[in-house]
Amino acid sequence: MIASGHVDTFARDHLPPPQQWPEFLFELPELKFPDRLNCAVELLDRAVERGWGDRPCVIGEGVHWSYAQLLAQANRIAQVLVDDMGLVPGNRVLLRGANSPMLAACWFGVVKAGGIAVGSMPLLRAKELTQIVQTARVSHALCDARLAEELQRARPDCPTLTQVMLFHDSELESRMANRPQGFRAVDTAIDDVCLIAFTSGTTGQPKGTMHFHRDVMASCVCWPPHVLRATADDRFVGSPPLAFTFGLGGLLLFPLHIGASTVLLEKATPDVLLGAIARFKASVCFTAPTSYRAMASQAGQSDLSSLRKCVSAGEALPAATRELWKQATGIELIDGIGSTEMLHIFISAREDQARGGATGLPVPGYRACVLDDQGRELPRGQVGRLAVKGPTGCRYLADERQGTYVQQGWNVTGDAYLIDTDGQFVYQARTDDMIISGGYNIAGPEVEAALLQHPAVAECAVVGVADDERGQIVKAFVVVKPGAAADAALVKTLQDFVKQSIAPYKYPRAIEFRDSLPRTETGKLQRFRLRQ
Ligand code: 3UK
């Protein structure tokens, strides 16, 4: 065993028992890492050593930091954490802020100091912050002053959280001002935890997923070079928060790993994102399917000529959305399924492999299959539970649900999938979202995909609702496009439309019109709220 660089061993002490770990695969040559490594050093100090110091690195509102500048900021934050806030390697540090260069500097400062970064979505309330602080036994927090109130409200129930420092024209910056720009990073082991990411799960107690320095590096050498294939001249932009591993990877780790630059936007609604692509001449975009759908209808008003690669994740990408985006921009979306447990994307397709309705192929470094209820591998074409293994995998922080996500060495994501004859993985539904109506298994997203083909439909969500006769019936919640009349005639039109395009028994027997649909901060539909 490699000696830990941590003094506070809480994370290591609360890893799942060895027999509940997934099997890890390190077959790719690029996954051979040394025993000791600090991923913040690998990504930041190494970048400067390679001669990228003056290259543009992180860009925000009125901020343009080169690699050397981001490194200096991270080093100063690390010193404040250690000297003024008493951070000891292994301590958990809550990061609270909208995406910004300063939040990125805090992430690297924490990790260089041997701390464990615990991200939190900006919209979280005191109750949810308390759950995170208590579960991860968080001792320190770096918090954007504009989001301080909710954290203060949480503090009475968070006795472990003794050190809170605010940033954004606040104490952190004034303490950083007189620090030297160098800092010797803590010499961590490759299997020391550097990140606890909480699942954006739509129900229940949040789960903390623990990731090692090695996992961060592994995520940088699998999907990005093999599927995304961005270069040092690319400029990344997107909407997911850095507290969501989709955003952390796509908007921070991956661009820095290759010497590219990244635009961190505090708010990235579809219209803001479109404007930012034009203004910053961004070339690689990360956001959710609904955001692409919304942007497609306004794409004509912005100069998107700089854009060359667009990544969609977080939810299934409907074929209609892929098509709309291609018509609007000429760009073939790169779809990818990832999870907080796996850290990042593990099934995806390059532009030339992309196929409407399919997620893609296992990312190099990963293996995936579809299992039946007994854990046996199913033949192609049959719907079952998606299972995956690779260099990253699920390690919940002291959580009994480890045994649900990891079964016989496989990470079982909770998604129903089939593998088609070309080996492409085709998403069906969340396993617990499958609708069983009159003896038929119906995947809500398939009905959604059919509805989205109709010109009157802006957004929709399909769920199963209880029905005396059929057990469940298919019900669609539909947001209509401006100008379309949400009336009984449209209900009939949409029902007939679905019957024309997929098996008629899947048509929505009930349709309800809504002004908007409930979504998580990471853009996922909250189907459970529609079932209630
Ligand atoms: C669903 C998808 C179909 C799927 C994530 C990329 O979403 C991420 O992490 P979460 O923990 O959720 C994981 C679940 O979300 N999902 C995500 N992407 C797709 N379903 N097609 C997709 N392309 O149910 C999965 O199990 O919030 C995504 C990178 C990092 C991430 N954390």
Side-chain angles (χ1 to χ4, degrees):
M1 192 165 135
I2 314 158
S4 171
H6 287 176
V7 175
D8 171 350
T9 59
F10 171 82
R12 188 165 287 241
D13 296 342
H14 290 85
L15 286 166
Q19 68 276 12
Q20 287 192 15
W21 282 38
E23 189 189 333
F24 288 96
L25 308 175
F26 302 108
E27 286 147 8
L28 288 187
E30 51 267 49
L31 291 168
K32 312 270 182 257
F33 297 110
D35 284 354
R36 307 206 70 81
L37 166 157
N38 183 314
C39 67
V41 173
E42 293 305 308
L43 290 168
L44 218 44
D45 298 63
R46 294 280 177 272
V48 174
E49 282 167 26
R50 275 189 205 115
W52 299 343
D54 293 330
R55 292 184 63 86
C57 182
V58 280
I59 297 157
E61 233 14 273
V63 184
H64 276 77
W65 284 343
S66 66
Y67 276 80
Q69 285 171 311
L70 177 64
L71 173 60
Q73 294 295 69
N75 285 344
R76 292 185 183 109
I77 293 167
Q79 292 169 64
V80 173
L81 282 165
V82 174
D83 299 342
D84 301 1
M85 300 174 74
L87 183 93
V88 164
N91 285 168
R92 277 75 56 216
V93 184
L94 185 80
L95 296 175
R96 175 160 171 78
N99 287 1
S100 72
M102 191 59 186
L103 185 67
C106 287
W107 194 90
F108 282 109
V110 168
V111 176
K112 282 200 76 174
I116 298 174
V118 182
S120 63
M121 307 287 177
L123 288 181
L124 294 190
R125 295 293 192 175
K127 178 168 168 282
E128 294 136 315
L129 290 169
T130 302
Q131 287 177 329
I132 290 176
V133 169
Q134 290 180 351
T135 309
R137 230 151 310 149
V138 170
S139 52
H140 294 67
L142 300 176
C143 175
D144 189 309
R146 294 163 295 174
L147 296 175
E149 201 184 311
E150 211 62 41
L151 185 59
Q152 290 306 344
R153 293 214 300 128
R155 283 192 77 175
D157 295 320
C158 298
T160 59
L161 180 59
T162 54
Q163 294 285 332
V164 176
M165 198 170 293
L166 303 184
F167 63 87
H168 193 85
D169 299 327
S170 299
E171 187 180 0
L172 180 57
E173 285 94 342
S174 52
R175 286 185 183 265
M176 286 163 69
N178 57 1
R179 307 288 157 144
Q181 58 176 20
F183 176 83
R184 235 186 105 98
V186 170
D187 175 32
T188 44
I190 188 108
D191 60 355
D192 278 329
V193 175
C194 67
L195 169 68
I196 300 179
F198 279 83
T199 53
S200 61
T202 44
T203 45
Q205 184 81 9
K207 292 166 276 191
T209 66
M210 301 205 274
H211 298 288
F212 297 164
H213 289 267
R214 181 182 58 221
D215 303 323
V216 167
M217 298 318 298
S219 74
C220 292
V221 300
C222 289
W223 178 79
H226 289 106
V227 181
L228 180 64
R229 296 170 305 154
T231 72
D233 294 322
D234 275 309
R235 173 157 293 173
F236 290 52
V237 74
S239 66
L242 296 181
F244 181 26
T245 61
F246 178 40
L248 180 70
L251 299 177
L252 192 60
L253 308 175
F254 304 164
L256 267 57
H257 187 246
I258 56 171
S261 59
T262 182
V263 181
L264 296 174
L265 305 167
E266 300 207 335
K267 238 201 168 89
T269 52
D271 52 321
V272 171
L273 191 48
L274 275 176
I277 293 167
R279 192 166 134 223
F280 296 104
K281 304 231 171 310
S283 54
V284 178
C285 179
F286 285 75
T287 189
T290 33
S291 171
Y292 284 113
R293 197 173 167 83
M295 287 197 294
S297 59
Q298 310 165 34
Q301 287 130 265
S302 295
D303 172 13
L304 302 182
S305 56
S306 58
L307 201 56
R308 61 182 209 101
K309 285 178 181 281
C310 294
V311 180
S312 169
E315 270 199 314
L317 173 66
T321 302
R322 175 185 285 288
E323 204 44 51
L324 274 181
W325 188 247
K326 194 165 183 183
Q327 279 166 12
T329 64
I331 297 172
E332 191 73 70
L333 280 168
I334 299 173
D335 187 10
I337 178 172
S339 72
T340 309
E341 289 82 353
M342 299 303 294
L343 191 53
H344 220 271
I345 292 173
F346 51 84
I347 293 174
S348 184
R350 298 191 311 251
E351 296 91 331
D352 59 304
Q353 304 166 321
R355 237 196 42 211
T359 313
L361 309 165
V363 167
Y366 290 85
R367 251 184 259 159
C369 65
V370 170
L371 303 175
D372 70 10
D373 290 336
Q374 275 73 50
R376 289 174 304 225
E377 225 173 285
L378 282 167
R380 287 187 174 185
Q382 291 194 29
V383 177
R385 300 177 302 148
L386 180 65
V388 55
K389 52 178 90 158
T392 58
C394 177
R395 301 179 205 96
Y396 288 137
L397 164 59
D399 198 302
E400 283 172 1
R401 290 167 287 186
Q402 179 74 17
T404 311
Y405 205 94
V406 177
Q407 298 178 27
Q408 293 159 332
W410 290 99
N411 297 275
V412 180
T413 62
D415 297 292
Y417 259 85
L418 66 78
I419 309 177
D420 72 10
T421 45
D422 308 329
Q424 290 256 1
F425 283 69
V426 182
Y427 179 82
Q428 308 294 307
R430 288 289 303 170
T431 329
D432 42 19
D433 276 346
M434 286 298 267
I435 302 163
I436 303 166
S437 180
Y440 288 109
N441 273 318
I442 301 166
E446 189 188 1
V447 185
E448 290 163 12
L451 280 165
L452 286 172
Q453 306 279 354
H454 193 277
V457 176
E459 280 183 79
C460 67
V462 168
V463 300
V465 294
D467 179 74
D468 287 344
E469 201 181 322
R470 296 171 184 275
Q472 281 186 310
I473 57 161
V474 176
K475 175 166 183 182
F477 293 84
V478 172
V479 180
V480 297
K481 289 227 177 103
D487 56 16
L490 184 59
V491 168
K492 177 84 171 62
T493 304
L494 292 176
Q495 287 173 329
D496 290 341
F497 183 77
V498 171
K499 287 186 202 166
Q500 296 300 312
S501 80
I502 54 178
Y505 66 83
K506 297 175 181 170
Y507 88 95
R509 285 171 193 268
I511 293 184
E512 185 179 323
F513 296 107
R514 289 276 176 102
D515 293 334
S516 66
L517 299 174
R519 289 187 183 275
T520 65
E521 204 179 342
T522 57
K524 285 193 216 306
L525 263 180
Q526 294 173 306
R527 294 192 177 77
F528 75 98
R529 284 178 57 187
L530 294 169
R531 277 193 293 262
Q532 283 163 4

